């Protein structure tokens, strides 16, 4: 068994101190490398039992906001507007998917389709094997924070303070639930 996590080095003061010190003393890190490590663009695979670091997966140039496993791949969504598929056994990149115009905030998988919600207010469906875009779901007025697929329905929550339901096949928004929310809809279960 493995444990997969996003490496947010800015949480630890020591790492931040080392990065700043490296910057001022012009050590081996470039400003670009320091920025990448500050925003959490790395993902780590560890042995679940021993905690041993098995792989560090790098490739995003913005912070990783979400992850979802699909078979032997794990997909990540990032502030760089891309989705990336990674081989879990090797820790190597398998596929890069582009199409969103803003941060990718959430992911879900159903069969061989990956669903992504973005700050560009859309939900997109992608073929897991090829990375081809299958469908675009529109309707939210703001960033999509969470997405969950159940049977033929996509449930999504947004900063527009709505929960929407979309038909997977037709792409039609079948229902909009507005509540007396104080803030945005951030998660679904």
């Amino acid at each position: 068994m493995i444990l997969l996590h996003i490496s947010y080095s800015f949480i630890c003061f020591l790492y931040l101190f080392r990065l700043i010190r490296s910057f001022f003393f012009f050590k081996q890190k470039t400003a670009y490398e320091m920025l990448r490590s500050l925003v959490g663009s790395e993902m780590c695979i560890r042995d679940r039992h021993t905690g041993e670091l098995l792989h560090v997966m790098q490739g995003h140039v913005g912070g990783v906001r979400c992850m979802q496993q699909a078979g032997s791949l794990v997909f990540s969504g990032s502030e760089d507007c891309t989705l990336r598929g990674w081989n879990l056994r090797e820790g190597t990149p398998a596929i890069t998917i582009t199409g969103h115009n803003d941060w990718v905030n959430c992911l879900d998988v159903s069969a061989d389709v990956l669903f992504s919600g973005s700050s560009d207010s859309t939900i997109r469906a992608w073929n897991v094997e090829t990375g081809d875009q299958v469908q675009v779901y529109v309707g939210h007025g703001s960033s999509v924070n969470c997405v969950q697929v159940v049977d033929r329905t996509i449930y999504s929550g947004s900063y527009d303070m709505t929960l929407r339901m979309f038909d997977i096949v037709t792409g039609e928004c079948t229902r909009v639930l507005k509540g007396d929310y104080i803030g945005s809809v951030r998660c679904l279960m």
Side-chain angles (χ1 to χ4, degrees):
M1 294 300 231
I2 60 171
L3 177 65
L4 184 64
H5 66 89
I6 301 168
S7 174
Y8 283 104
S9 57
F10 68 88
I11 293 172
C12 179
F13 176 76
L14 181 59
Y15 287 130
L16 180 59
F17 176 76
R18 286 181 182 165
L19 289 173
I20 293 169
R21 187 183 66 191
S22 294
F23 179 77
F24 285 112
F25 291 104
F26 302 104
K27 299 245 174 161
Q28 295 179 1
K29 286 195 174 190
T30 65
Y32 172 76
E33 289 170 332
M34 287 188 290
L35 180 62
R36 278 190 51 214
S37 61
L38 282 172
V39 296
S41 59
E42 298 175 342
M43 297 187 322
C44 302
I45 299 177
R46 294 184 179 272
D47 182 284
R48 190 178 90 173
H49 301 291
T50 66
E52 176 189 357
L53 180 63
L54 302 174
H55 302 290
V56 176
M57 299 177 292
Q58 298 175 327
H60 285 294
V61 293
V64 175
R65 299 188 54 83
C66 53
M67 295 184 291
Q68 183 70 45
Q69 186 174 349
S72 64
L73 297 177
V74 65
F75 285 90
S76 55
S78 171
E79 294 170 2
D80 65 11
C81 309
T82 67
L83 297 98
R84 292 182 184 263
W86 308 87
N87 179 311
L88 277 174
R89 292 187 197 278
E90 304 298 322
T92 57
I95 190 168
T96 300
I97 301 172
T98 60
H100 281 294
N101 299 318
D102 210 334
W103 294 3
V104 179
N105 300 317
C106 52
L107 299 171
D108 199 11
V109 174
S110 179
D112 61 346
V113 180
L114 175 68
F115 296 87
S116 58
S118 170
S119 292
D120 67 10
S121 304
T122 66
I123 300 163
R124 295 176 190 259
W126 314 91
N127 180 296
V128 171
E129 299 293 324
T130 65
D132 293 336
Q133 185 172 284
V134 177
Q135 181 88 324
V136 180
Y137 305 87
V138 295
H140 281 293
S142 190
S143 176
V144 178
N145 299 323
C146 50
V147 61
Q148 188 159 13
V149 179
V150 179
D151 300 325
R152 283 183 44 130
T153 305
I154 301 169
Y155 297 86
S156 60
S158 170
Y159 273 125
D160 66 9
M161 295 185 281
T162 65
L163 183 110
R164 293 180 184 262
M165 299 159 65
F166 295 89
D167 182 282
I168 286 180
V169 177
T170 66
E172 177 187 356
C173 181
T174 58
R175 193 159 187 195
V176 179
L177 302 173
K178 295 181 183 179
D180 294 327
Y181 307 119
I182 294 173
S184 65
V185 179
R186 298 186 143 239
C187 57
L188 296 167
M189 188 169 116

